[in-house]
């Protein structure tokens, strides 16, 4: 939870455009997904955070404009430097 929240709080500082900023939320959500897979007792809290930060995912048009599609590999730069998957707002 801590790492996911730290990532999410860094979003505005880790991107030069809205797409890169939104990508930071992908890695934050990755951490919340991992937390609930490791400890099912935190699933409710993790799901709340996943729902909260998923709202910041880019839409299909924005994702396409930057040359990506849902499910592609993506590396979040900045101090985070984590690999994730492109996700669009549902």
């Amino acid at each position: 939870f801590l790492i996911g929240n730290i990532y999410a709080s860094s979003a505005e500082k880790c991107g030069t455009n809205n797409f890169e900023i939104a990508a930071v939320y992908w890695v934050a959500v990755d951490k919340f997904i991992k937390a609930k897979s490791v400890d099912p007792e935190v699933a409710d809290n993790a799901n709340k955070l996943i729902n909260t930060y998923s709202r910041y995912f880019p839409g299909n048009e924005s994702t396409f404009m930057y040359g990506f599609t849902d499910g592609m590999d993506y590396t979040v730069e900045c101090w985070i430097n984590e690999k994730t998957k492109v996700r669009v707002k549902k």
Side-chain angles (χ1 to χ4, degrees):
F1 280 102
L2 179 62
I3 294 171
N5 283 319
I6 291 170
Y7 283 179
S9 69
S10 297
E12 294 292 325
K13 299 173 190 132
C14 282
T16 59
N17 58 54
N18 288 337
F19 182 80
E20 290 176 357
I21 291 168
V24 176
Y25 295 112
W26 298 333
V27 292
V29 166
D30 290 345
K31 296 303 178 191
F32 302 132
I33 291 169
K34 174 90 175 181
K36 71 180 189 174
S37 74
V38 171
D39 184 358
E41 291 185 20
V42 302
D44 286 342
N45 287 337
N47 287 332
K48 286 178 189 174
L49 291 168
I50 290 166
N51 289 333
T52 296
Y53 292 118
S54 294
R55 293 181 194 138
Y56 298 106
F57 290 179
N60 277 322
E61 289 179 21
S62 177
T63 303
F64 179 76
M65 186 173 72
Y66 287 99
F68 293 92
T69 57
D70 194 37
M72 289 179 72
D73 290 333
Y74 186 84
T75 300
V76 175
E77 303 287 330
C78 196
W79 66 272
I80 296 170
N81 200 30
E82 290 236 12
K83 291 184 181 196
T84 188
K85 296 284 184 187
V86 172
R87 286 171 255 179
V88 297
K89 190 183 310 182
K90 308 265 185 217

